[in-house]
Amino acid sequence: LYGLDAVIDGTGDFLHTGQLEVRAGNKTILPTADLFISRRMWINSNLIINNQGSIEIGDDLLFQNANTTWINAENSSLVMGDQISTGGILRASAEGNTVVWQGTANRTFKRPFNDTYYHMEIGGTAIKTMPFTAHQASQTSPFIYVHCNHRPLFILIRLC
């Protein structure tokens, strides 16, 4: 995807066998967007993606460098089938936003900016690891939502 400060909108699936690449210009995913990317998404160096809608990525979300940024804005959702690059910045603390981690592989979650997920859901199987303390996982919502054998399990985190 090219274009300076372009917007992404619509409903649909990107089912290409390759990856979706954001090569130039910051992008805003509009609140009305409801998108599914079957494979991975690659974001070039120093770009900012402002997700205001709903997007599901079936594989990895890859950042080219430490300054590449994904912002999950207020009331947005990001559903991950696999992992988010260890480099780059994930901002997931806006009110009402959700990050969902799925997948069947062992996974260490992406450490978000300021160690804060507003709302995190964990699904799939295998071992899931947080690289930060549990009380920091959600400072505004005291629950982490976990799927356990396809049944929801709510874990209450006591905030200090």
Side-chain angles (χ1 to χ4, degrees):
L1 298 172
Y2 292 96
L4 299 179
D5 300 319
V7 297
I8 300 170
D9 196 11
T11 304
D13 300 340
F14 179 82
L15 301 175
H16 192 275
T17 57
Q19 63 188 12
L20 178 63
E21 296 183 11
V22 179
R23 295 183 179 188
N26 299 330
K27 306 290 183 265
T28 298
I29 301 168
L30 295 180
T32 52
D34 186 7
L35 305 170
F36 172 73
I37 300 166
S38 66
R39 304 276 295 177
R40 58 171 63 166
M41 183 172 180
W42 170 267
I43 305 168
N44 274 358
S45 296
N46 306 319
L47 297 182
I48 298 170
I49 305 298
N50 184 358
N51 177 29
Q52 299 173 2
S54 177
I55 188 164
E56 180 175 350
I57 301 172
D59 201 345
D60 303 325
L61 176 57
L62 303 173
F63 302 144
Q64 189 172 17
N65 73 3
N67 294 321
T68 303
T69 302
W70 181 280
I71 300 169
N72 233 31
E74 190 173 316
N75 299 317
S76 66
S77 70
L78 170 63
V79 178
M80 290 301 309
D82 206 343
Q83 66 183 355
I84 299 177
S85 293
T86 54
I89 300 165
L90 171 65
R91 291 180 177 262
S93 61
E95 187 170 327
N97 94 88
T98 301
V99 177
V100 179
W101 295 90
Q102 299 179 354
T104 57
N106 292 350
R107 181 70 48 236
T108 297
F109 300 122
K110 169 76 173 164
R111 185 178 196 144
F113 183 78
N114 286 338
D115 289 338
T116 303
Y117 283 98
Y118 178 82
H119 183 81
M120 173 199 274
E121 295 182 18
I122 305 167
T125 57
I127 298 169
K128 311 294 187 205
T129 305
M130 288 188 193
F132 45 92
T133 59
H135 77 274
Q136 293 172 315
S138 180
Q139 294 181 3
T140 54
S141 174
F143 292 97
I144 291 181
Y145 179 73
V146 180
H147 290 279
C148 180
N149 295 323
H150 303 288
R151 294 184 316 248
L153 169 68
F154 290 91
I155 300 172
L156 175 62
I157 298 173
R158 184 168 301 218
L159 304 178
C160 301

